Amino acid sequence: MAAGPKHPLAGPPPRTPAPKSSGVKASTVITLTGIGVVSLLLIGYCAAQDDYEEVGADCVDVNSLEPDGSYTVVDEDYCDDDHAHYYGSRGAYSWYYGGVRSGARITHGTTVRPSDVQITSRKGTVIQRGGFGGRSGWGSGS
């Protein structure tokens, strides 16, 4: 038998498009992306907050302790890490945190560095930033 013209309906069935997915994968990706973006924004917001306490600091001569508990305030360069000013028994210098200054004397503070606070000298030098990861050195810096 000779091959004749084929009938238009005699071929394979026409291809039908695959059924569309219900969108579960796309909505999961959008949800996870949204959670990631919100998390990053929240972390950034919390990091930018200045809700920690600020404490002032003065550089003092630790050998100048008086019976009333006060120390002599000296220039903050003496407490700077870059300028070691230790003269044996004649004098050692340290930061004095908090306290009430009266003239060249300061009292009612501590030589123990507080944590989780921002420490700033009277000249405005930031000695330690507040929150996590505060500055580990004792000297002034920014």
Side-chain angles (χ1 to χ4, degrees):
M1 178 167 187
K6 288 190 174 182
H7 190 277
L9 298 177
R15 292 184 124 195
T16 58
K20 292 190 176 195
S21 68
S22 64
V24 173
K25 289 181 184 179
S27 66
T28 301
V29 170
I30 290 171
T31 301
L32 291 176
T33 302
I35 290 172
V37 168
V38 169
S39 297
L40 286 175
L41 290 173
L42 182 63
I43 290 169
Y45 175 78
C46 290
Q49 293 302 304
D50 290 337
D51 59 352
Y52 45 82
E53 185 180 349
E54 188 168 323
V55 174
D58 289 280
C59 185
V60 298
D61 179 350
V62 294
N63 290 324
S64 68
L65 180 61
E66 292 292 324
D68 66 354
S70 67
Y71 289 93
T72 301
V73 177
V74 296
D75 189 275
E76 72 180 51
D77 287 340
Y78 285 96
C79 290
D80 192 347
D81 283 341
D82 297 334
H83 303 93
H85 292 286
Y86 178 75
Y87 300 109
S89 62
R90 282 191 43 226
Y93 304 97
S94 180
W95 289 109
Y96 191 78
Y97 307 101
V100 178
R101 188 168 174 176
S102 176
R105 307 288 301 171
I106 191 165
T107 189
H108 302 298
T110 181
T111 55
V112 178
R113 183 198 320 223
S115 61
D116 241 11
V117 296
Q118 177 168 311
I119 303 171
T120 309
S121 72
R122 295 218 185 245
K123 288 185 179 177
T125 304
V126 175
I127 299 166
Q128 171 182 303
R129 301 233 182 253
F132 298 111
R135 188 170 191 263
S136 61
W138 280 88
S140 62
S142 51

